[in-house]
Amino acid sequence: MSPDTGFHALEDGEAQIGCGPLIQSYESTPRSLRMQVFDRVRAAGLISRADLAKDLGVSPASVTSVVSELIETGMVHEVATPKREGESNRGRPPVALGVRPEAGYVAGLKLSDHRHAAIITDFAGNTIAEAEIRHGVLQQETEMVIRDVVRLLDDALGQAGLTQTDLSAIGLGLPGVVDSATGQVMWSPLMREQGIALGPTLEELLGRPVRVDNDANLVTLAELWFGAGRARSDFAVVTIEHGVGMGVVINHRLYRGAMGLGLEIGHTKVQLDGALCRCGQRGCLEAYVADYALVREATTALNWGNRGVQSQHILLESLYDHAKAGNQSARAIFKRAGRYLALGLANIVNLFDPALILLSGERMRYDYLYAEEVLAAMRDMTLETNRPAPVVEIRAWGDQVWARGAAALALDTATEIALRPEAV
């Protein structure tokens, strides 16, 4: 099974066809007609007024009124479309509605343990610029994290030919437990302090709206806005990197829980009084699957006590090379991690019944973690219902995918601000 990027690579001169979830109904989450119209236009890429009214189940007159407002404020514009074969060349060319890309710009940033990535997009979701900076410091002081954010943002803006004042919003993701509603980082392996109001601090410093979220949610948003999740009402994303994260979409919406802190699949318990997790508790799924767990096992099983000075990345690659070369101890480490991953996936299926599970993250390079025996074990541990098991797909990894999810978070925020009644 080979990884799938999940994203359509655009050819030179080819226009991106919409972005955002292809939502069929707003019944469970009432939103203004203005917001519904704009979301639908952005998701479709180009759409006629008649199709808008049909899709939203409202009168053409209502759509025309809202569209006029959006055109007047510069959020939406009309685009001439080629006439269909057989249509008369007389009269005005047919027009469709599209989001005006220059209506605004947003930044998406993803912080990780070894590399920070950023992306700048316009209001239609088109990528304008990308940037990244490398570092190797875990548990930084808050001031250092903020310094890196500003440096990364300035690098991306410089490539885009923009300034901070050109941004409508900024999205930021990092591993750990994040209260997305308040922008507070309760705990992150990247930061020494806990309970840091990172979002408000950055807002004050940058003078732009800033949304902060858990990085697994960002990958999920990337799939929801730009990837395989656009037409899916329910799906789950599991990320395996330095930790194990999860995002779930229910009825086309990212689920965060009552306090915005839910779905920490990596810290669900799979073994009472088990291995020590970096969160300080024992028996977490992450303590058996994440990269530091694999290195810990390898240090003991392969007698690597004298290799403590080497980086975790080098040790992981060495472990994988040993497994591929037939070393039984190395293979046993991956096999054990695969069994625990199968248990975690089975719990997801039994809890949420998703139609699709996407596995993403840098550790998906290690095919032992998604071997057929792992997926078979997952199926064996799920309830027998005589229905097909959910589809499991392996997705591309890379920091720009995470950053694109942060850009989706920023786009959502910027849209809500721009389409508030007092703003239109």
Side-chain angles (χ1 to χ4, degrees):
M1 185 187 303
S2 61
D4 176 15
T5 64
F7 302 106
H8 169 60
L10 300 178
E11 302 293 338
D12 291 341
E14 181 183 0
Q16 176 176 299
I17 303 177
C19 72
L22 296 167
I23 299 172
Q24 302 301 314
S25 171
Y26 284 88
E27 294 178 0
S28 62
T29 52
R31 290 157 73 88
S32 70
L33 181 58
R34 185 185 295 112
M35 183 70 77
Q36 293 183 47
V37 168
F38 185 82
D39 281 350
R40 186 65 187 139
V41 170
R42 181 161 54 192
L46 291 174
I47 190 170
S48 68
R49 288 172 172 82
D51 287 339
L52 260 177
K54 180 180 178 181
D55 290 352
L56 297 176
V58 299
S59 70
S62 297
V63 165
T64 298
S65 175
V66 171
V67 167
S68 296
E69 292 179 3
L70 293 175
I71 290 176
E72 184 178 349
T73 57
M75 298 287 290
V76 169
H77 63 170
E78 292 182 323
V79 180
T81 59
K83 289 191 175 183
R84 298 173 184 173
E85 187 177 350
E87 286 185 337
S88 171
N89 289 326
R90 296 178 181 177
R92 181 185 179 188
V95 298
L97 301 167
V99 171
R100 182 172 167 269
E102 301 83 6
Y105 301 93
V106 301
L109 289 74
K110 192 267 184 176
L111 307 183
S112 73
D113 60 313
H114 60 289
R115 184 188 299 113
H116 301 329
I119 188 170
I120 307 294
T121 77
D122 61 28
F123 235 54
N126 302 307
T127 299
I128 304 300
E130 298 179 356
E132 68 173 40
I133 57 175
R134 295 176 179 270
H135 75 103
V137 182
L138 275 175
Q139 293 190 325
Q140 293 180 317
E141 299 288 346
T142 303
E143 290 183 2
M144 295 180 64
V145 173
I146 292 174
R147 181 200 62 191
D148 284 347
V149 167
V150 174
R151 174 188 163 199
L152 177 64
L153 180 62
D154 286 344
D155 285 352
L157 287 170
Q159 292 188 37
L162 301 172
T163 65
Q164 291 179 9
T165 56
D166 293 316
L167 295 177
S168 300
I170 299 168
L172 173 68
L174 71 166
V177 181
V178 180
D179 184 343
S180 61
T182 65
Q184 188 173 35
V185 180
M186 314 301 291
W187 169 83
S188 172
L190 305 184
M191 304 178 70
R192 291 182 182 176
E193 299 95 344
Q194 298 183 10
I196 301 301
L198 186 60
T201 300
L202 288 171
E203 278 196 357
E204 183 176 355
L205 177 65
L206 301 173
R208 302 285 88 191
V210 177
R211 286 285 303 278
V212 183
D213 210 338
N214 172 274
D215 57 359
N217 281 343
L218 298 188
V219 179
T220 309
L221 284 173
E223 293 290 350
L224 179 62
W225 278 67
F226 304 103
R230 293 191 66 210
R232 298 271 188 173
S233 62
D234 303 90
F235 67 94
V237 175
V238 176
T239 61
I240 306 176
E241 294 219 341
H242 189 61
V244 178
M246 176 181 172
V248 168
V249 167
I250 299 176
N251 192 23
H252 303 280
R253 298 292 181 190
L254 182 66
Y255 178 80
R256 290 189 173 91
M259 302 296 292
L261 306 174
L263 303 177
E264 287 291 339
I265 187 67
H267 300 290
T268 57
K269 304 301 179 280
V270 295
Q271 181 69 56
L272 289 175
D273 301 321
L276 181 65
C277 178
R278 61 178 177 167
C279 74
Q281 297 188 3
R282 291 187 175 274
C284 298
L285 174 64
E286 184 177 291
Y288 296 92
V289 177
D291 51 7
Y292 67 87
L294 297 176
V295 168
R296 180 171 57 197
E297 290 292 314
T299 300
T300 301
L302 301 179
N303 194 26
W304 283 358
N306 61 339
R307 301 178 66 176
V309 296
Q310 291 185 315
S311 73
Q312 196 167 80
H313 175 76
I314 292 176
L315 293 175
L316 280 171
E317 292 302 312
S318 180
L319 175 63
Y320 187 59
D321 290 342
H322 276 72
K324 284 297 185 182
N327 184 296
Q328 293 304 309
S329 294
R331 287 189 172 186
I333 292 171
F334 281 110
K335 184 175 182 179
R336 181 174 185 244
R339 288 201 308 269
Y340 277 106
L341 177 59
L343 174 59
L345 296 178
N347 287 337
I348 293 171
V349 175
N350 290 334
L351 283 170
F352 297 102
D353 186 29
L356 173 68
I357 298 178
L358 303 172
L359 301 181
S360 183
E362 196 170 358
R363 296 305 156 253
M364 301 319 297
R365 292 204 313 271
Y366 305 143
D367 50 6
Y368 288 109
L369 293 178
Y370 57 87
E372 178 53 37
E373 62 183 284
V374 173
L375 302 183
M378 177 201 77
R379 292 189 289 267
D380 289 343
M381 287 185 280
T382 56
L383 291 173
E384 178 57 55
T385 60
N386 294 320
R387 293 185 300 167
V391 176
V392 179
E393 295 182 3
I394 313 304
R395 310 308 275 174
W397 46 85
D399 293 307
Q400 291 302 338
V401 174
W402 307 68
R404 204 170 192 197
L409 182 66
L411 277 172
D412 192 45
T413 300
T415 302
E416 289 184 0
I417 294 173
L419 296 182
R420 286 172 182 165
E422 63 270 19
V424 178

